[in-house]
Amino acid sequence: MIFGTADFFGGLATRRSRVLAVVVFSQLGGLLLIAALLAFLPGTLSPAALLWGMASGVAGAVGIVMFYRGLATGVMSVVAPTTAIASMAVPVLFGLITGERPSIPALVGVLLGLFAVTLVSRSPNDPAAGSRAGSILNALASGAGFGGFFILLKLAPEDAGVWPLLGARIASITLVALLAVATRRSLRPIPGTLTVTIAAGLLDMAANVLYLFAAQRGLLSLIAVLVSLYPASTLLLARYVLGERLSPVQITGVGFALGAVALIAAS
């Protein structure tokens, strides 16, 4: 659920600061963390590790920019789960197409996870905002970017350790900085937002490290489902920090999410 907490902090930052500034500084925070971890975590540096990582960083940069745009303009409890549906569907389909065959309990867990994300995506707070085409399109584009990020990281050499994440951060920071220059957007954060922005980046990188280790050892079609259940923590934080209400349907969805985790973890 670390992804969900990182998204919550990122959403808070983008509501008070510039989207591209939040992306760049959160990514810089993640870059500092992964640079520090390289000395302690095993892994083999190779061109393939960095190139797959850089490719994933491009996809991830698209995902995070669109995601933060959605969080800044839409309802957090709608944008986060909608993004999760897309980010789950892309790698699950890729895994099944490339020959992954999860066990029967795990497949039931996958279906339960899909159902859970669908339930938590239903927002009672602001139906008009939740149905805005812009917010939904941002969320879907973000989910596609994150799904590509998960797939490309999975394709990196298994002995690479966390080196692909270094390549990913270098590529994503470069891409977003170039985008800011091309569009003449300022990368200066609004005063008072830097701490929460850096916190979002550190949490996001910690979650990426855990995902990469899991993906190197397990089936993408299962790991992607577990990762994409992160909106449960985003919803709970939005409920208790921002006062966004959870409907009985969303609470039921959180329960199904826990059931999905149990089934997949037991397989």
Side-chain angles (χ1 to χ4, degrees):
M1 297 301 177
I2 300 176
F3 272 124
T5 306
D7 290 345
F8 176 77
F9 281 121
L12 287 181
T14 53
R15 291 185 176 187
R16 299 164 53 196
S17 189
R18 303 174 180 93
V19 171
L20 294 185
V22 171
V23 173
V24 167
F25 279 91
S26 65
Q27 300 279 289
L28 283 172
L31 180 62
L32 292 176
L33 177 59
I34 197 61
L37 291 176
L38 284 171
F40 303 98
L41 297 177
T44 301
L45 174 61
S46 67
L50 290 179
L51 288 173
W52 281 115
M54 293 177 74
S56 71
V58 172
V62 173
I64 199 70
V65 169
M66 301 305 293
F67 183 66
Y68 282 171
R69 282 188 60 186
L71 290 178
T73 59
V75 177
M76 190 177 294
S77 56
V78 172
V79 174
T82 303
T83 299
I85 292 174
S87 66
M88 183 196 306
V90 173
V92 166
L93 290 175
F94 178 85
L96 294 175
I97 290 172
T98 54
E100 291 186 356
R101 294 296 179 265
S103 66
I104 297 300
L107 283 175
V108 173
V110 169
L111 295 175
L112 197 61
L114 288 168
F115 184 57
V117 175
T118 301
L119 290 180
V120 296
S121 299
R122 305 184 68 172
S123 172
N125 302 316
D126 187 351
S131 62
R132 287 179 192 153
S135 294
I136 298 300
L137 289 176
N138 282 337
L140 292 175
S142 172
F146 288 146
F149 174 80
F150 294 144
I151 292 171
L152 292 166
L153 274 185
K154 171 69 173 177
L155 295 175
E158 292 186 4
D159 63 348
V162 297
W163 282 103
L165 291 175
L166 179 66
R169 278 298 172 266
I170 292 172
S172 60
I173 292 172
T174 302
L175 180 62
V176 176
L178 290 175
L179 176 62
V181 171
T183 58
R184 299 182 178 180
R185 303 281 184 87
S186 174
L187 291 178
R188 180 178 299 175
I190 300 299
T193 62
L194 188 58
T195 299
V196 70
T197 298
I198 296 297
L202 292 174
L203 288 168
D204 179 66
M205 179 54 72
N208 284 330
V209 170
L210 295 174
Y211 162 76
L212 183 57
F213 283 147
Q216 289 169 345
R217 294 164 175 78
L219 298 180
L220 180 64
S221 53
L222 300 184
I223 301 301
V225 174
L226 293 175
V227 169
S228 298
L229 295 175
Y230 69 84
S233 58
T234 307
L235 290 178
L236 291 175
L237 287 168
R239 167 67 181 88
Y240 290 106
V241 178
L242 300 181
E244 293 185 4
R245 294 183 178 180
L246 296 180
S247 69
V249 172
Q250 288 177 309
I251 294 173
T252 302
V254 172
F256 278 121
L258 295 174
V261 171
L263 283 171
I264 294 173
S267 63

